[in-house]
């Protein structure tokens, strides 16, 4: 028995009874621990499988739905989602997702897995787990701001303190640096076929880590300015260059392993429909990806009426992109633009289109035709709109909007698009360091300027 394993705690994230597999409706593995307060006895492979499934859940569930609605890729059209579409929400809105940052395949299981891997001399395996940690914590910080992190898995701390958001980004960058170094010089075997994405492929995971570094540098650009863009550009040079190495969720047609967006459409038909901004944009560009995004209604694809297409994103076994070649190239495009190289920015945007052409086997030359001669703010808008279209249903489009104010959507209500979510209610009730919603910050530290 590994005596260094971190005991599960009942405070941070609150206990999730059945772990990540039950949270997502996926059945890749049975629960790793039915007693959430017991020292875990799961194997390294079992822990990693739960971590993967939880990662898929976080990237596809309520936060992704809110991000898609508020950036008008989708729209809330019935029941509570019509209210959410108007930016009315509470601390219960993403309570389950906040819990998942820590429990049931979250940070606690990740840290246990890292310790097991290191004790077994399998630093390559540990590196891949660190990439999952960086994604989970970095994206949580982008949504909630300051978070329990440095004390979050300490069993001697009952009420972990909130680390500042920008400090968390620094820690996440350090974690990714560790992962990259360990992937390059790691020892021991990786996860092999237990890795549902890349089968333990070191080069693929290294590229993912570099693109994540670039993403999180962009998250700080509103406050750090030019150095953040320079760092993002440098990281993206080593990022994902081929859509075959995109990091995605993993699904099948089995009832317990289906795409969460498909499940949501099936079980809550009409609650969320196609958005007001993206469809007209794609129609104006004669975008051949449109039938893979949205379903037709009486032969037409219509805002607030169409759903997700079962030919693509709404398919029961469709794997939703998490970090991609297209994102990497559009990060390069924005960073090149912000560092004064407009010609390079256009070229990088064309590379982003090429990633999408290869992924979907379509011709996107109409978008490429928009790039020559476009300068200044118009070029930045074109880059972000192309990225917004490529990163369909990805939480990152909300972060891009908060940083750039593109795409130029018309907010649905006074006050504009929400800049953050409230902390989960369960965490507030069990951690005295979490303030009540009325006393929480209005904006996250990395996003001081409203659109």
């Amino acid at each position: 028995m590994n005596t260094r394993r971190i005991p599960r705690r009942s405070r941070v994230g609150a206990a999730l009874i059945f772990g990540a597999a039950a949270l997502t409706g996926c059945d890749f593995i049975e629960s790793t621990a039915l007693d959430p307060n017991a020292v875990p006895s799961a194997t390294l492979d079992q822990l990693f499988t739960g971590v993967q499934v939880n990662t898929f859940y976080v990237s596809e569930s309520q936060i992704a739905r809110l991000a898609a609605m508020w950036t008008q890729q989708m729209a809330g059209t019935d029941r509570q989602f019509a209210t959410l579409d108007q930016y009315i929400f509470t601390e219960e809105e993403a309570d389950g997702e906040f819990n998942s940052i820590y429990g049931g395949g979250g940070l606690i299981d990740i840290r246990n897995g890292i310790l097991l891997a290191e004790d077994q001399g399998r630093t390559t395996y540990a590196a891949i787990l660190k990439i999952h940690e960086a994604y989970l914590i970095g994206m949580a910080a982008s949504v909630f701001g300051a978070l329990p992190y440095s004390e979050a898995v300490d069993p001697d701390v009952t009420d972990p303190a909130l680390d500042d958001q920008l400090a968390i980004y620094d820690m996440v960058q350090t974690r990714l640096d560790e992962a990259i170094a360990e992937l390059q010089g790691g020892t021991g075997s990786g996860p092999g076929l237990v890795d549902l994405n890349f089968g333990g492929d070191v080069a693929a995971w290294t590229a993912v880590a570099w693109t994540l570094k670039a993403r999180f540098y962009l998250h700080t650009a509103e406050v750090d300015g030019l150095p953040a863009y320079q760092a993002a550009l440098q990281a993206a040079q080593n990022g994902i260059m081929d859509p075959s190495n995109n990091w995605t969720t993993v699904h099948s047609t089995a009832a317990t392993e289906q795409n969460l967006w498909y499940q949501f459409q099936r079980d809550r038909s009409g609650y969320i429909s196609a958005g007001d901004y993206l469809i007209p944009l794609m129609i104006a560009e004669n975008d051949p990806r449109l039938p893979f995004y949205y379903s037709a209604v009486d032969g037409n694809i219509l805002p607030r009426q169409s759903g997700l297409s079962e030919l693509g994103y709404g398919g029961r076994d469709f794997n939703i992109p998490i970090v991609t070649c297209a994102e990497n190239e559009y990060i390069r495009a924005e960073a090149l633009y912000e560092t004064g190289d407009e010609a390079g920015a256009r070229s990088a945007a064309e590379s982003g289109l090429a990633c999408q052409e290869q992924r979907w086997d379509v011709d996107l030359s109409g978008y490429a035709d928009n790039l020559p001669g476009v300068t200044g703010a118009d070029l930045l808008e074109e880059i972000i709109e192309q990225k917004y279209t490529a990163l369909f249903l990805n939480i990152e489009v909300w972060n891009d909007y908060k940083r750039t104010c593109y795409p130029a959507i018309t907010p649905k209500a006074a006050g504009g698009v929400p800049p953050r979510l409230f902390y989960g209610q369960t965490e507030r009730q069990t951690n005295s360091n979490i303030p009540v919603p009325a006393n929480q910050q209005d904006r996250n530290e990395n996003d001081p300027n409203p659109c």
Side-chain angles (χ1 to χ4, degrees):
M1 176 67 70
N2 179 356
T3 57
R4 293 197 300 143
R5 287 180 181 170
I6 303 163
R8 287 184 183 264
R9 300 181 39 224
S10 60
R11 303 285 282 185
V12 173
L16 298 177
I17 297 176
F18 293 109
L23 275 172
T24 60
C26 293
D27 194 28
F28 295 107
I29 191 171
E30 294 180 358
S31 169
T32 59
L34 293 179
D35 179 359
N37 299 308
V39 175
S41 58
T43 67
L44 176 56
D45 286 350
Q46 287 174 324
L47 284 169
F48 182 48
T49 301
V51 167
Q52 292 175 91
V53 174
N54 185 59
T55 301
F56 302 159
Y57 164 75
V58 171
S59 65
E60 284 185 8
S61 55
Q62 183 75 340
I63 296 174
R65 289 190 286 267
L66 294 172
M69 286 192 299
W70 291 344
T71 59
Q72 297 179 27
Q73 291 182 334
M74 303 298 288
T77 46
D78 194 16
R79 310 295 175 92
Q80 69 267 36
F81 286 90
T83 300
L84 290 168
D85 199 60
Q86 301 294 312
Y87 315 146
I88 300 169
F89 60 98
T90 71
E91 62 179 344
E92 297 181 54
E93 217 50 63
D95 191 48
E97 285 73 14
F98 193 93
N99 294 342
S100 295
I101 299 166
Y102 303 100
L107 183 61
I108 295 170
D109 283 350
I110 290 171
R111 291 291 181 85
N112 279 318
I114 290 169
L115 291 177
L116 276 174
E118 290 174 343
D119 282 354
Q120 295 172 15
R122 302 171 73 181
T123 56
T124 300
Y125 206 139
I128 295 170
L129 280 161
K130 289 178 181 180
I131 293 170
H132 284 75
E133 176 180 330
Y135 169 78
L136 193 67
I137 297 299
M139 293 307 290
S142 77
V143 171
F144 298 104
L147 288 172
Y149 184 36
S150 59
E151 295 181 346
V153 295
D154 186 339
D156 296 323
V157 178
T158 58
D159 291 72
L162 296 169
D163 292 307
D164 290 341
Q165 185 199 39
L166 294 179
I168 291 172
Y169 280 128
D170 287 341
M171 288 186 275
V172 164
Q173 292 289 357
T174 298
R175 209 61 164 157
L176 288 168
D177 288 338
E178 293 171 4
I180 291 167
E182 289 169 353
L183 287 169
Q184 292 173 341
T187 59
S189 59
L193 294 180
V194 178
D195 176 359
L196 300 174
N197 286 105
F198 303 121
D201 185 281
V202 167
W205 279 115
T206 301
V208 168
W210 280 112
T211 299
L212 277 176
K213 282 182 68 66
R215 175 190 285 191
F216 293 137
Y217 281 129
L218 280 192
H219 284 198
T220 68
E222 197 174 333
V223 292
D224 288 345
L226 183 61
Y229 288 114
Q230 291 171 328
L233 180 58
Q234 183 175 6
Q237 308 289 18
N238 301 297
I240 303 171
M241 300 295 180
D242 189 311
S244 65
N245 289 330
N246 288 350
W247 185 20
T248 71
T249 61
V250 177
H251 297 290
S252 77
T253 57
T256 54
E257 297 176 0
Q258 293 168 346
N259 175 345
L260 266 66
W261 281 94
Y262 167 81
Q263 294 184 48
F264 188 89
Q265 277 198 151
R266 179 196 62 200
D267 298 339
R268 299 189 180 186
S269 177
Y271 282 33
I272 296 179
S273 302
D276 295 294
Y277 192 90
L278 183 55
I279 286 179
L281 176 66
M282 296 180 77
I283 290 174
E285 298 290 350
N286 196 26
D287 193 319
R289 293 169 293 185
L290 195 57
F292 298 107
Y293 285 24
Y294 300 108
S295 61
V297 178
D298 297 327
N300 296 303
I301 295 176
L302 303 170
R304 295 190 168 262
Q305 295 184 47
S306 295
L308 292 176
S309 170
E310 292 199 20
L311 298 174
Y313 282 85
R316 66 184 66 197
D317 60 346
F318 185 80
N319 299 329
I320 301 286
I322 301 173
V323 184
T324 66
C325 169
E327 178 185 359
N328 191 79
E329 294 309 291
Y330 285 118
I331 289 172
R332 289 182 59 239
E334 181 184 348
L336 284 162
Y337 169 83
E338 294 289 354
T339 54
D341 185 355
E342 291 197 355
R346 292 188 196 93
S347 178
E350 290 174 353
S351 296
L353 291 171
C355 291
Q356 283 283 282
E357 287 179 327
Q358 186 177 342
R359 165 64 185 87
W360 293 105
D361 191 23
V362 296
D363 180 1
L364 297 174
S365 57
Y367 284 98
D369 291 342
N370 294 340
L371 292 166
V374 179
T375 62
D378 290 341
L379 176 57
L380 178 61
E381 182 175 13
E382 179 67 25
I383 290 167
I384 299 301
E385 284 199 341
Q386 288 188 15
K387 184 182 180 185
Y388 163 79
T389 308
L391 270 62
F392 187 49
L393 305 186
N394 193 307
I395 298 168
E396 190 62 8
V397 297
W398 185 22
N399 292 316
D400 288 341
Y401 174 78
K402 289 186 288 184
R403 181 179 65 259
T404 69
C405 298
Y406 294 128
I409 60 177
T410 301
K412 299 293 182 182
V417 173
R420 66 179 297 272
L421 291 177
F422 296 125
Y423 299 112
Q425 176 178 266
T426 304
E427 179 69 9
R428 178 184 60 76
Q429 292 174 338
T430 56
N431 183 348
S432 63
N433 290 310
I434 303 292
V436 297
N439 293 337
Q440 292 179 28
Q441 67 269 29
D442 293 329
R443 309 188 67 82
N444 290 334
E445 189 177 6
N446 73 328
D447 179 36
N449 305 311
C451 291

